C-alpha cells in the first residue's frame, strides 16, 4: 500500500484541515430531508463514520493520488446507483487530498442547468475569496482560459478536483472535463468525479469516460452493501445494545442494501424509539407503516431515489408497488409468470417492455425487489419500502393504473378473478363489461370457499348500474354470503332483494333464503311471515312445494310452529296425496320417524321408492338431505354418506339453503356414529372459537358433536370451555339447543357430576317432547338420564325411563337403538333378568358396524357377570371391549373397559390388545395360511389342530385386526405404515 493510502487510513474523522473552498456534503441529501437526529440518547446505533465495504475504491484513490503527486494526472470515476455512497467517497477523496497537501476544488452538478455554458467548470475554477486576484490570466471565462487557470493552479500546488453527480452537468462542462482528462499527463492533478450508474427505464446517456482510453481514466462501480455490512450498520459498535435477528432482517430488507435508505431508516427509528433501552426488536416491533416513521427521513430518501431515477422509472416503480397487492389477491393459486408481469407493467405505463424487464432484473440484483417465496414474481423487498415508493402518489393515479390493468388483463384473456382484483380498486364508471366480470369472479371465489373475496366482488358490482332483476339477484347472493359474518347486513340485503324481485321463481327462492336467515337468527315467526307473504302459489305447484319443504325444515327452530306445519302436511297427505311431492313425503317420513310412529324398515323402503320417483330439480336437494338423515338413523351410514355427497356436490347450494346445514349435520353425525372422533373434530373445527375471541353464545349440532368427541378423547377441560361459552338462557329454542344440552349432560356425567348431567338430560327431553320427538333416534336422553338415576341411587326412576326408551326402540327396531335400550334396561332391571337383557344387547350389536355401542354393551354385561360372581365369563367380554375401544382410538371408552376388566380380577395388561403385535404365535401362523388362500380344513390338517380351534383363532384374529372378512386378512397382515389411517 502506498504512503498516500497509509496517510488516509491512519487519519481519524477529525484529521481533515479546513478547506479553502466550500465543503462538500457527505451525503448530498435533498433540501426537504431533515438532518440526522443525534441529539438524544438512543439504543439504536449511530451512522457508521466511514464508508462501508469501499476498500477497493479507497485503494484506487490512494494509488491515483500518489501518481498525481508524481506529476501523472488521472481521472477517477465512481459509478453507482443513487444512495450507494458516491458522495461519501468523494468526501473521502477530498479528505485524502487535504492530508497530502493538495488544493481541493469542488463542484456539485445540478439538474436545473442554471449558469449557462461551462457552469460546472466555472464553479470549480472561479477564484475563491482567499486565492487573491486573477493573477492576470486573460479570458478566464472561456474554455481555454479555464484550462489555463487549472494549469496555473497545478503549478502552484497539486490539485484534487472533485465533481459530484457529473451526469447532471451541462454538456459543455462534460466535454471540457473529458478533454481535460486526455491532457492531464504531466500535471499534478487528480480529477475525481461521481456518476449515477443504474438501470433505468429511460436509456442512459453515455458516461463521462465512455470514449476515454484506460490509460487516462480509472473507473470503479459501487455495489450494494452486503448483508454483513448492512447488519454492522444496524447493530452499531461493540457498545451498542443487542438487536434481535427479526429486527435486523426487517431493516436489511427495508434498506435494500442502500446506505442512504438504511441510514435514513435508522434516523427515523431513533426518533420513534428515543427512550428504548433494551435493544431494538426486544419487545419492540419494527413499524409496519411509513406513517409510524417520524420525521420521515426514510420516505424522503426513497422519494429522492425515485426522482434521481427519472419519471419513467418512478412511474414503473410506483405502478409495480400499486399492483403488488392486486397481483397477490388475484394469483394466489395461479402465479403470473415474470415475463407476463413485465409485459403488463410495460403496457400499463406505456414503457419499453425490454427496459421494464431489464429494470425488474436489476432491482432484484440491487435488493430493492425480491422474489416472492410463494409466487416467484418480483415484489418490493419490504412493506415499508413499498409504502414509501407510493407515498404522495395521488389516488386518482392509482385508480387509473388499476383501470388500465383491468382492461389489459381482460383483453388478453386473464381469469375473471385476476381482472376483478384490479376492478375492486377502481371507482364505478358504467363500463358494460365490468359487472359481469365481477360476478364471474365472485362465483369462482364462492365455489372455492373464499367468502370474503366473493363478498368484495359482489359489493363492487352493486356500485355499477344494473337492471332491476340483476340487482336483485346480486343482492340475494351477497346477503347469503354476508350472513355468515355480519348477520344483520345479510338480512337487510336479502330483504331488499325480495322487494326488487318480480319473477315468481326468484321471489320464492329469495324468500326461502331470507326465511332461513331469520330462523337462524332466532326469529322463526318472522321467517314464516316472509314465506306466508308469498301467497298460495296455486298456479306454481313446484314453487308451492318448495315453500312447503322449506317450511317443514325451518319449523325445527320453533316447537309450536313445527307442530302446526306438520299437522297441515299430514292433513294434506290424507286428503290430497297427489299434491305431495317425493320431497314433501320424505319430510313426513322423517317426522313420523322422530315421533316414534314407524319402523326403520318401513321408512327405508319408502325412502328408497321415493328416491327413484321423478322430482323437480328445485326439490331434489330437500329429498336427498331428508333421505340422508333417515338413512343415518336407520344404521345405513354408507347410504347416508352417498346421499350427503350427492346433495353437496351435485347441487350448488347456498349456505342459507334450508337443506345445506342439514346435509353438513348429517355428515358429522355419520362420523360420530362410526366412532370416527378425529374426523368429527376436523369437521367441527369452525365450531371452536379461537382462544382470544369472546366465546360464542349460539348452540349448534357442530358444537355438541365436538364436545362429545372431546369427551371421548378425554379432553374434558377443552369441552368444558366450549360449554361455558354458550348462554342457554339466551339461546332460541331449536333442536340444536336440545343436542347441546345432551352433549353438556354427557360432559357433566364424564366429569363426576351425575346430578348436573341428569338436569341437562331431563331438560333436553322436556324440549324434545314439546316438539313431538319421542323416538331415541335423534337424542337418547332417556337412556342417559336413566344411567344418571342409577349413579344417584334411584333405580325406580331409572327403570321407568328405560322401559319407555325400550318401547320406542322396539318400534324403530335398529341394532343401535335396540342395543342401547336393552343395555340400559338391563342395568336398571338388575338381577338375572337384567343379565339376560345386557346379554341380548351384546348379541344385537355383534356383527354390526356399531362398535362404540358394542363396547358399552360389553362393559355393561361384563360388569353384571362380575357382580353375579362369574368373573371368568366377564373377562373375555371386557377384553374384547378394551380391544375395540383401543382400535377406535377412544381413550374414555378404553379407560372404562380396562377399569371393568381390573374389577373382574384380571391382571393389568402390558401387551396391546389390537393390531399385529397383539396376535399370538398360533394366531399369526393360522392367519398367514388363511391369507394365502388355505381353507380351515386344510389349515387344520396341516397344523394338526381341530377345525374348531382354527375357527376360534381366526375369530380372535379378526377382532384384534379390526376386520370382518377373510378377504381382508392379506391387507391387515401387511406392514403397518408410518402413519396408519383411522379405522372405520
Amino acid at each position: 500500500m502506498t504512503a498516500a493510502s497509509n496517510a488516509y487510513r491512519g487519519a481519524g474523522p477529525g484529521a481533515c484541515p479546513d478547506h479553502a473552498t466550500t465543503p462538500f456534503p457527505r451525503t448530498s441529501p435533498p433540501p426537504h430531508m431533515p438532518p440526522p437526529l443525534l441529539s438524544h440518547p438512543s439504543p439504536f446505533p449511530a451512522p457508521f463514520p466511514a464508508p462501508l465495504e469501499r476498500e477497493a475504491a479507497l485503494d484506487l484513490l490512494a494509488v491515483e493520488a500518489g501518481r498525481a503527486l508524481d506529476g501523472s494526472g488521472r481521472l477517477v470515476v465512481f459509478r453507482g446507483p443513487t444512495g450507494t455512497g458516491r458522495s461519501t467517497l468523494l468526501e473521502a477523496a477530498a479528505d485524502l487530498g487535504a492530508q497530502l497537501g493538495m488544493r481541493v476544488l469542488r463542484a456539485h452538478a445540478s439538474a436545473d442547468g442554471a449558469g449557462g455554458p461551462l457552469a460546472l467548470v466555472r464553479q470549480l475554477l472561479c477564484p475563491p475569496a482567499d486565492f487573491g486576484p486573477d493573477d492576470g490570466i486573460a479570458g478566464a471565462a472561456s474554455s481555454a482560459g479555464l484550462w489555463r487557470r487549472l494549469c496555473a493552479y497545478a503549478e502552484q500546488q497539486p490539485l484534487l478536483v472533485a465533481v459530484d453527480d457529473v451526469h447532471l452537468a451541462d454538456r459543455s462542462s462534460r466535454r471540457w472535463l473529458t478533454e481535460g482528462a486526455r491532457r492531464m499527463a504531466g500535471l499534478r492533478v487528480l480529477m475525481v468525479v461521481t456518476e449515477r450508474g443504474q438501470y433505468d427505464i429511460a436509456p442512459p446517456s453515455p458516461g463521462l469516460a465512455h470514449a476515454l482510453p484506460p490509460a487516462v481514466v480509472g473507473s470503479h462501480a459501487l455495489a450494494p452493501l452486503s448483508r454483513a455490512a448492512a447488519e454492522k450498520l444496524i447493530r452499531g459498535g461493540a457498545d451498542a445494545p443487542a438487536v434481535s435477528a427479526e429486527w435486523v432482517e426487517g431493516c436489511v430488507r427495508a434498506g435494500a442494501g442502500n446506505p442512504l435508505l438504511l441510514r435514513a431508516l435508522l434516523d427515523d427509528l431513533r426518533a420513534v424509539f428515543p427512550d428504548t433501552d433494551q435493544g431494538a426488536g426486544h419487545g419492540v416491533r419494527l413499524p409496519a407503516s411509513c406513517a409510524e416513521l417520524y420525521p420521515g427521513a426514510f420516505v424522503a430518501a426513497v422519494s429522492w431515489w425515485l426522482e434521481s431515477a427519472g419519471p419513467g422509472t418512478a412511474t414503473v416503480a410506483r405502478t409495480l408497488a400499486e399492483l403488488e397487492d392486486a397481483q397477490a389477491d388475484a394469483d394466489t393459486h395461479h402465479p403470473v409468470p415474470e415475463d407476463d408481469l413485465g409485459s403488463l407493467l410495460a403496457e400499463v405505463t406505456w414503457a419499453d417492455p425490454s427496459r421494464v424487464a431489464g429494470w425488474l432484473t436489476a432491482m432484484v440484483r440491487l435488493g430493492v425487489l425480491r422474489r416472492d417465496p410463494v409466487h416467484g414474481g418480483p415484489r418490493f423487498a419490504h412493506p415499508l419500502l413499498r409504502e414509501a415508493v407510493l407515498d404522495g402518489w395521488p389516488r386518482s393515479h392509482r385508480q387509473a393504473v388499476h383501470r388500465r390493468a383491468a382492461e389489459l388483463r381482460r383483453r388478453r384473456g386473464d381469469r375473471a378473478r385476476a381482472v376483478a382484483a384490479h376492478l375492486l380498486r377502481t371507482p364505478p364508471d358504467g363500463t358494460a363489461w365490468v359487472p359481469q366480470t365481477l360476478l364471474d369472479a365472485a362465483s369462482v371465489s364462492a365455489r372455492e370457499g373464499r367468502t370474503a373475496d366473493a363478498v368484495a366482488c359482489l359489493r363492487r358490482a352493486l356500485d355499477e348500474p344494473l337492471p332491476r332483476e340483476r340487482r336483485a339477484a346480486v343482492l340475494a347472493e351477497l346477503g347469503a354470503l354476508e350472513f355468515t359474518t355480519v348477520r344483520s347486513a345479510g338480512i337487510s340485503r336479502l330483504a331488499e332483494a325480495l322487494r326488487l324481485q318480480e319473477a315468481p321463481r326468484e321471489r320464492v327462492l329469495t324468500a326461502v333464503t331470507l326465511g332461513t336467515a331469520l330462523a337462524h337468527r332466532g326469529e322463526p315467526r318472522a321467517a314464516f311471515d316472509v314465506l306466508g307473504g308469498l301467497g298460495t302459489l296455486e298456479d306454481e305447484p313446484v314453487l308451492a312445494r318448495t315453500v312447503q319443504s322449506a317450511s317443514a325444515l325451518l319449523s325445527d327452530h320453533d316447537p309450536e310452529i313445527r307442530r302446526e306445519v306438520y299437522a297441515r302436511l299430514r292433513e294434506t297427505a290424507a286428503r290430497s296425496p297427489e299434491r305431495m311431492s317425493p320431497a314433501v313425503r320424505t319430510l313426513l317420513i322423517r317426522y313420523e320417524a322422530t315421533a316414534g310412529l314407524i319402523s326403520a324398515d318401513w321408512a327405508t323402503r319408502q325412502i328408497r321408492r321415493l328416491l327413484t320417483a321423478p322430482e323437480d330439480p328445485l326439490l331434489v336437494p330437500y329429498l336427498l338431505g331428508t333421505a340422508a338423515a333417515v338413512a343415518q338413523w336407520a344404521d345405513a351410514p354408507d347410504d347416508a354418506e352417498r346421499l350427503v355427497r350427492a346433495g353437496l356436490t351435485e347441487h350448488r347450494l347456498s349456505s342459507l339453503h334450508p337443506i345445506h346445514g342439514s346435509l353438513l349435520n348429517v355428515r358429522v353425525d355419520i362420523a360420530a356414529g362410526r366412532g370416527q372422533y378425529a374426523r368429527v373434530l376436523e369437521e367441527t373445527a369452525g365450531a371452536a372459537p379461537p382462544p382470544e375471541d369472546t366465546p360464542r353464545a349460539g348452540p349448534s349440532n357442530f358444537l355438541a358433536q365436538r364436545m362429545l368427541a372431546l369427551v371421548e378423547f378425554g379432553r374434558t377441560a377443552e369441552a368444558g370451555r366450549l360449554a361455558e361459552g354458550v348462554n342457554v338462557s339466551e339461546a332460541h329454542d331449536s333442536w340444536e339447543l336440545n343436542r347441546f344440552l345432551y352433549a353438556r349432560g354427557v360432559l357433566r356425567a364424564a366429569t363426576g357430576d351425575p346430578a348436573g348431567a341428569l338436569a341437562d338430560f331431563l331438560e333436553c327431553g322436556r324440549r324434545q317432547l314439546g316438539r313431538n320427538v319421542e323416538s331415541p333416534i335423534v337424542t337418547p336422553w332417556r337412556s342417559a338420564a336413566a344411567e344418571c338415576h342409577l349413579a344417584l341411587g334411584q333405580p325406580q326412576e331409572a327403570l321407568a325411563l328405560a322401559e319407555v326408551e325400550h318401547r320406542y326402540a322396539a318400534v324403530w327396531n335398529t341394532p343401535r337403538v335396540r342395543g342401547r335400550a336393552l343395555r340400559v334396561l338391563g342395568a336398571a332391571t338388575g338381577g338375572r333378568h337384567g343379565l339376560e337383557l345386557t346379554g341380548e344387547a351384546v348379541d344385537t350389536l355383534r356383527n354390526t358396524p356399531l362398535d362404540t355401542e358394542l363396547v358399552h354393551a360389553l362393559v355393561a354385561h361384563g360388569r353384571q357377570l362380575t357382580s353375579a360372581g362369574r368373573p371368568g365369563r366377564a373377562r373375555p367380554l371386557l377384553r374384547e371391549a378394551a380391544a375395540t375401544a383401543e382400535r377406535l382410538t377412544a381413550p374414555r371408552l378404553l379407560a372404562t373397559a380396562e377399569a371393568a376388566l381390573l374389577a373382574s380380577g384380571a391382571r393389568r395388561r402390558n401387551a396391546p390388545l389390537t393390531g399385529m403385535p397383539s396376535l399370538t404365535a398360533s394366531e399369526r401362523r393360522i392367519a398367514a395360511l388363511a391369507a394365502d388362500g388355505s381353507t380351515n380344513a386344510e389349515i387344520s390338517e396341516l397344523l394338526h389342530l381341530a377345525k374348531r380351534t382354527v375357527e376360534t383363532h381366526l375369530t380372535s384374529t379378526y377382532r384384534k385386526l379390526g376386520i370382518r372378512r377373510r378377504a381382508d386378512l392379506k391387507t391387515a397382515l401387511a406392514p403397518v405404515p408410518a402413519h396408519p389411517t383411522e379405522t372405520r
Side-chain angles (χ1 to χ4, degrees):
M1 188 175 292
T2 64
S5 177
N6 288 330
Y8 175 73
R9 292 180 181 276
C16 303
D18 293 336
H19 302 325
T21 57
T22 304
F24 224 79
R26 287 188 180 268
T27 55
S28 304
H32 56 279
M33 283 185 61
L37 300 174
L38 301 175
S39 58
H40 51 72
S42 170
F44 297 90
F48 204 76
L52 287 172
E53 292 190 326
R54 300 298 182 241
E55 290 79 5
L58 296 175
D59 288 343
L60 176 63
L61 277 176
V63 170
E64 296 301 340
R67 294 180 60 179
L69 291 174
D70 292 338
S72 298
R74 286 254 292 180
L75 170 66
V76 175
V77 180
F78 291 124
R79 300 187 78 251
T82 300
T84 51
R86 301 191 312 264
S87 298
T88 303
L89 277 176
L90 200 65
E91 179 64 17
D95 290 349
L96 175 61
Q99 293 172 39
L100 296 176
M102 303 175 78
R103 177 175 292 168
V104 179
L105 305 179
R106 312 182 196 189
H108 187 177
S110 174
D112 57 19
L118 295 173
L120 178 70
V121 181
R122 284 187 283 107
Q123 182 184 344
L124 275 171
L125 297 174
C126 282
D130 59 347
F131 266 27
D134 183 82
D135 297 329
I137 301 177
S142 67
S143 176
L146 290 169
W147 176 252
R148 288 194 298 272
R149 173 161 289 184
L150 177 71
C151 294
Y153 288 163
E155 290 178 1
Q156 298 172 13
Q157 185 178 355
L159 288 181
L160 189 142
V161 178
V163 179
D164 203 12
D165 291 342
V166 73
H167 56 283
L168 300 177
D170 60 279
R171 184 177 300 178
S172 57
S173 292
R174 287 169 57 84
R175 189 165 51 248
W176 190 94
L177 292 171
T178 301
E179 186 60 28
R182 298 178 186 275
R183 301 167 59 184
M184 276 197 297
L187 294 179
R188 294 185 300 169
V189 177
L190 175 61
M191 188 183 298
V192 183
V193 302
T194 68
E195 190 172 51
R196 188 174 181 278
Q198 178 178 301
Y199 197 102
D200 295 318
I201 299 302
S205 57
L208 182 70
H210 80 284
L212 294 175
V216 301
V217 63
S219 297
H220 181 81
L222 303 180
L225 294 179
S226 68
R227 183 180 182 85
E231 287 193 18
K232 184 177 182 181
L233 187 61
I234 295 164
R235 295 183 184 278
D239 296 333
V243 181
S244 73
E246 182 181 1
W247 181 278
V248 170
E249 174 66 21
C251 290
V252 167
R253 286 173 50 191
N258 188 299
L260 169 71
L261 303 186
L262 193 50
R263 292 174 193 266
L265 176 62
L266 295 178
D267 284 347
D268 278 345
L269 293 176
R270 284 195 297 274
V272 173
F273 302 102
D275 302 322
T276 304
D277 57 2
Q278 296 179 353
H282 292 283
V284 181
R285 64 174 181 85
L286 192 67
S289 168
C290 287
E292 300 181 61
L293 294 178
Y294 178 83
F298 180 71
V299 171
V302 173
S303 176
W304 185 44
W305 178 83
L306 285 174
E307 291 174 7
S308 301
T313 300
T315 299
V316 170
R318 285 171 173 144
T319 300
L320 175 62
E322 181 60 34
L323 295 181
E324 191 170 286
D325 284 345
Q327 280 297 111
D329 291 347
D331 303 304
T332 302
H333 304 294
H334 304 277
V336 175
E338 183 179 344
D339 292 345
D340 287 353
L341 176 59
S343 173
L344 179 65
L345 276 174
E347 290 186 84
V348 170
T349 59
W350 289 278
D352 182 349
S354 62
R355 296 298 300 178
V356 171
W359 182 81
L360 291 172
T361 301
M363 292 305 101
V364 171
R365 169 69 179 81
L366 289 177
V368 175
L369 304 179
R370 67 182 182 94
R371 303 292 179 190
D372 188 279
V374 177
H375 312 126
R379 299 174 62 93
F380 278 90
H382 193 274
L384 283 176
L385 184 56
R386 172 183 174 271
E387 190 175 329
V389 167
L390 287 172
D391 186 78
W393 212 32
R395 185 166 179 261
S396 59
H397 289 29
R398 300 185 184 198
Q399 292 174 338
V401 160
H402 286 294
R403 169 62 71 183
R404 172 82 172 148
E407 292 172 351
L408 291 169
R409 299 195 73 169
R410 174 179 173 270
R411 192 181 306 156
R412 69 185 192 182
D414 285 1
R415 293 168 297 109
R417 179 184 168 194
V419 179
H422 300 289
L423 292 176
L424 291 174
R425 294 163 171 82
T426 63
D429 63 0
T431 304
W433 56 266
V434 169
Q436 189 58 52
T437 301
L438 290 165
L439 295 179
D440 291 344
S443 177
V444 172
S445 296
R447 271 201 311 272
E448 295 178 356
R450 292 178 285 105
T451 302
D453 292 347
V455 166
C457 290
L458 293 173
R459 287 174 178 171
R460 175 64 181 80
L462 289 175
D463 293 336
E464 298 288 337
L466 296 170
R468 180 188 180 101
E469 292 182 3
R470 187 85 171 277
R471 180 171 294 276
V474 173
L475 283 167
E477 186 176 358
L478 176 58
L481 291 174
E482 283 185 332
F483 185 79
T484 61
T485 53
V486 185
R487 294 195 165 190
S488 57
I491 288 177
S492 63
R493 301 272 196 193
L494 291 167
E496 184 181 356
L498 182 60
R499 181 180 59 82
L500 293 175
Q501 290 288 8
E502 295 178 342
R505 183 179 188 276
E506 300 307 321
R507 277 185 58 78
V508 166
L509 295 180
T510 304
V512 168
T513 303
L514 176 56
T516 306
L518 289 168
H520 282 304
R521 200 171 71 167
E523 302 177 36
R525 285 290 175 187
F528 278 84
D529 289 343
V530 169
L531 295 177
L534 294 170
T536 59
L537 298 170
E538 292 181 356
D539 298 333
E540 299 283 351
V542 172
L543 297 182
R545 291 164 183 166
T546 300
V547 173
Q548 272 187 329
S549 301
S551 299
L553 284 171
L554 296 182
S555 70
D556 286 340
H557 291 271
D558 185 274
E560 185 178 347
I561 295 176
R562 187 175 190 272
R563 288 194 298 269
E564 294 173 3
V565 167
Y566 281 102
R568 286 199 300 269
L569 286 178
R570 297 184 76 190
E571 181 183 349
T572 302
R575 188 179 65 253
S576 306
E578 70 280 357
R579 297 178 58 184
M580 307 294 288
S581 71
V584 179
R585 288 180 179 276
T586 307
L587 284 164
L588 273 177
I589 292 172
R590 186 189 75 145
Y591 170 80
E592 292 170 348
T594 60
L597 302 175
I598 58 177
S599 70
D601 181 62
W602 186 89
T604 301
R605 282 188 283 108
Q606 295 300 314
I607 290 287
R608 287 173 178 166
R609 182 179 61 82
L610 292 170
L611 284 171
T612 61
E615 181 60 285
D616 189 272
L618 271 183
L619 293 165
V620 169
Y622 294 95
L623 176 61
L624 293 174
T626 309
V630 175
Q632 193 268 329
W633 293 336
D635 293 344
D638 293 340
D639 292 341
E641 199 162 43
R642 186 175 64 255
L643 292 167
V644 168
R645 192 181 308 115
L648 292 175
T649 59
E650 297 175 9
H651 302 271
R652 187 185 170 193
L653 300 179
S654 159
S655 59
L656 280 183
H657 191 290
I659 208 65
H660 182 265
S662 176
L663 289 167
L664 297 180
N665 280 316
V666 171
R667 186 169 67 182
V668 76
D669 289 347
I670 292 170
R674 285 172 163 168
Q676 297 174 337
Y677 302 120
R679 180 181 164 192
V680 171
L681 292 180
E682 180 182 342
E683 292 203 9
T684 62
E692 66 274 10
D693 282 6
T694 302
R696 298 178 182 177
S700 67
N701 182 56
F702 268 38
L703 185 65
Q705 292 289 15
R706 185 172 186 84
M707 290 169 56
L708 292 171
L710 290 171
V711 169
E712 294 300 337
F713 276 122
R715 294 156 59 179
T716 53
E718 188 176 345
R721 287 193 295 271
L722 291 179
E724 291 169 1
V726 175
N727 190 335
V728 173
S729 63
E730 295 181 1
H732 66 275
D733 194 359
S734 70
W735 72 271
E736 292 191 283
L737 172 60
N738 301 345
R739 184 63 64 85
F740 169 78
L741 289 170
Y742 176 80
R744 193 173 69 176
V746 172
L747 170 64
R748 286 176 168 175
T751 53
D753 181 15
L758 178 61
D760 277 339
F761 293 139
L762 292 178
E763 178 63 15
C764 172
R766 184 186 69 78
R767 291 173 180 269
Q768 292 283 75
L769 295 177
R771 311 167 72 82
N772 290 341
V773 177
E774 300 279 358
S775 176
I777 60 177
V778 178
T779 305
W781 64 271
R782 293 188 187 88
S783 293
E787 291 182 308
C788 290
H789 277 304
L790 289 175
L792 293 170
Q794 301 164 350
Q796 293 303 316
E797 291 85 346
L799 183 59
L801 287 170
E803 287 175 342
V804 176
E805 186 91 326
H806 181 256
R807 186 168 66 251
Y808 279 110
V811 173
W812 185 246
N813 197 30
T814 58
R816 184 191 306 275
V817 296
R818 282 193 63 242
R820 181 172 53 224
L822 285 167
R823 165 175 61 83
V824 177
L825 180 61
T829 302
R832 183 174 179 178
H833 184 50
L835 190 61
E836 292 173 354
L837 289 171
T838 55
E840 186 180 351
V842 171
D843 294 338
T844 300
L845 292 166
R846 277 202 187 280
N847 301 318
T848 69
L850 307 172
D851 290 330
T852 54
E853 290 296 341
L854 177 60
V855 171
H856 286 297
L858 289 168
V859 170
H861 192 47
R863 282 175 171 167
Q864 285 191 321
L865 286 170
T866 301
S867 299
R870 290 183 276 179
R873 288 187 56 191
R875 289 179 197 127
L877 298 174
L878 295 173
R879 288 194 182 94
E880 181 183 353
T884 305
E886 184 179 67
R887 178 167 50 80
L888 289 173
T889 319
R892 175 173 172 253
L893 279 178
L894 178 59
T896 302
E898 289 187 329
L901 190 58
L902 290 175
S904 71
R907 289 178 295 181
R908 187 175 296 276
R909 67 183 180 93
N910 295 319
L913 295 172
T914 60
M916 281 292 292
S918 67
L919 298 180
T920 65
S922 297
E923 289 171 342
R924 193 176 292 110
R925 184 164 56 249
I926 292 171
L929 291 170
D932 288 338
S934 299
T935 65
N936 288 1
E938 291 171 342
I939 296 172
S940 172
E941 183 178 353
L942 180 65
L943 299 180
H944 306 289
L945 295 173
K947 188 176 178 180
R948 178 64 179 169
T949 303
V950 173
E951 292 172 352
T952 302
H953 278 74
L954 282 176
T955 300
S956 175
T957 300
Y958 293 167
R959 176 180 55 77
K960 292 180 178 180
L961 296 181
I963 60 177
R964 301 186 185 279
R965 300 180 303 169
R966 196 184 195 94
D968 296 330
L969 272 172
K970 186 177 289 292
T971 302
L973 293 173
V976 179
H979 300 285
T981 56
E982 181 182 77
T983 304
R984 297 203 64 80

